[in-house]
């Protein structure tokens, strides 16, 4: 059932996250995987990955190209790669489909398969059962978590719906949470760096040291949806298995009573204002 029960709503409010097993069917997960395979097969590798740089100044151009590519990705479908997958001339050192870290950040807007998932009636019903009045979809990502390659994901705070397209296990990098940590407030934010800065983004505040014993692993089966409060502390570890841990995630903002900060790295554009979830 898409609507949360009172006990589920209470658990989400207490823990800051909630697992809904079987929210999506195996067929829906296969459709997402197949579509991603088609997108990857036709992908254009960005120039800053393909160009060979040798001088320090050229390396700065590479970094700037990477920064611009990221900061302008909010209304596009773009490709972000694992470290060490290209040689100096921009050739793949691994099969292209094994090189990608994630695809973002507007699959929900431009691809019919992911648009169908994001705006599905059951997702809308779930949002309504949470009491969201004017939820807007601010970004979406397809995360690959490559086998023996997918990197550790740092502590993060997002308002998200995280869909396990494949089983997420202790071995391949499932999510870990500190239950109840969403009540402590945000200690660090990634924002756009001031104009003229060498880096495109920076952090405000700092992440306090965390006791690893507080983290609880959350392995889930394919098709599960993990509901993530915007301020709960969570992470995932490196994928040490021989299989991937693919997931599709999108993030919502309650527009009612909210002012979107101009400091946020992700900004709406004239081409793609943040679209409402409710259709």
């Amino acid at each position: 059932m898409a609507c949360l029960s009172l006990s589920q709503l209470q658990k989400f409010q207490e823990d800051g996250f909630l697992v809904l097993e079987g929210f999506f069917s195996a067929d829906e997960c296969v459709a997402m995987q197949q579509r991603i395979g088609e997108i990857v097969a036709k992908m254009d590798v960005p120039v800053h990955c393909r160009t060979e740089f040798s001088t320090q100044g050229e390396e700065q151009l590479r970094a700037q190209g990477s920064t611009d590519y990221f900061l302008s990705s909010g209304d596009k479908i773009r490709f972000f790669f694992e470290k060490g997958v290209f040689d100096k001339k921009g050739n793949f050192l691994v099969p292209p489909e094994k090189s990608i870290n994630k695809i973002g950040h507007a699959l929900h807007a431009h691809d019919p398969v992911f648009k169908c998932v994001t705006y599905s009636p059951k997702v809308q019903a779930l949002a309504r059962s949470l009491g969201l009045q004017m939820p807007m979809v601010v970004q979406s990502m397809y995360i690959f978590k490559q086998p023996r390659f997918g990197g550790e994901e740092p502590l993060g705070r997002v308002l998200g719906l995280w869909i396990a397209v494949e089983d997420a296990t202790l071995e391949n990098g499932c999510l870990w949470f500190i239950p109840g940590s969403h009540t402590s407030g945000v200690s660090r934010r990634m924002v756009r760096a001031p104009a003229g800065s060498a880096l495109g983004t920076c952090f405000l505040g700092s992440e306090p040291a965390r006791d690893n014993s507080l983290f609880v692993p959350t392995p889930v089966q394919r098709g599960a949806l993990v509901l993530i409060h915007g301020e709960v502390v969570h992470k995932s570890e490196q994928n040490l298995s021989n299989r991937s841990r693919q997931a599709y995630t999108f993030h919502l903002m309650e527009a009612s009573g909210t002012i979107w900060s101009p400091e946020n790295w992700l900004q709406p554009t004239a081409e793609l204002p943040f679209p409402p979830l409710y259709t």
Side-chain angles (χ1 to χ4, degrees), residues 5 7 30 74 76 81 87 90-91 114 156 174 219-220 222 249 273 276:
S5 66
S7 61
V30 168
K76 301 174 182 67
F81 298 90
D87 64 17
N91 299 312
F114 290 96
C174 69
V220 295
R222 163 186 269 195
T249 181

Side-chain angles (χ1 to χ4, degrees), residues 155 157 185-189 203-210:
L155 303 180
R157 289 188 173 91
V186 175
S187 57
R188 187 177 71 155
R189 287 177 54 220
F203 287 95
L204 297 180
S206 60
E207 196 69 51
R210 304 287 184 185

Side-chain angles (χ1 to χ4, degrees), residues 17-132:
F17 68 98
L18 182 70
V19 174
L20 301 173
E21 290 281 6
F23 195 89
F24 288 93
S25 68
D27 287 345
E28 289 172 309
C29 292
V30 168
M32 285 189 275
Q33 284 187 294
Q34 289 179 341
R35 180 60 187 138
I36 279 295
E38 295 168 358
I39 292 172
V40 170
K42 297 178 181 178
M43 73 176 172
D44 291 323
V45 178
V47 174
H48 65 269
C49 292
R50 284 294 199 194
T51 306
E52 182 177 8
F53 297 95
S54 56
T55 68
Q56 183 176 2
E58 288 172 337
E59 287 293 346
Q60 290 176 349
L61 288 175
R62 180 206 294 271
Q64 186 60 51
S66 179
T67 296
D68 292 344
Y69 184 81
F70 173 72
L71 288 178
S72 61
S73 66
D75 58 359
K76 301 174 182 67
I77 297 176
R78 286 188 167 171
F79 305 90
F80 301 90
F81 298 90
E82 299 283 3
K83 294 180 180 179
V85 298
F86 295 103
D87 64 17
K88 291 183 178 181
K89 295 184 178 180
N91 299 312
F92 283 107
L93 296 172
V94 299
E97 66 275 11
K98 300 293 186 183
S99 68
I100 307 174
N101 175 284
K102 70 177 181 179
I103 297 175
H105 289 94
L107 285 163
H108 64 281
H110 299 309
D111 185 85
V113 171
F114 290 96
K115 183 180 288 186
C116 184
V117 170
T118 306
Y119 298 95
S120 63
K122 56 189 172 185
V123 167
Q124 295 187 43
L126 175 63
R128 286 192 170 96
S129 72
L130 284 166
L132 299 180

Side-chain angles (χ1 to χ4, degrees), residues 203-223:
F203 287 95
L204 297 180
S206 60
E207 196 69 51
R210 304 287 184 185
D211 182 350
N212 280 332
S213 67
L214 298 177
F215 283 94
V216 175
T218 311
V220 295
Q221 296 181 338
R222 163 186 269 195

Side-chain angles (χ1 to χ4, degrees), residues 75 267-273:
D75 58 359
Q267 293 295 324
T269 64
E271 293 76 15
L272 183 64

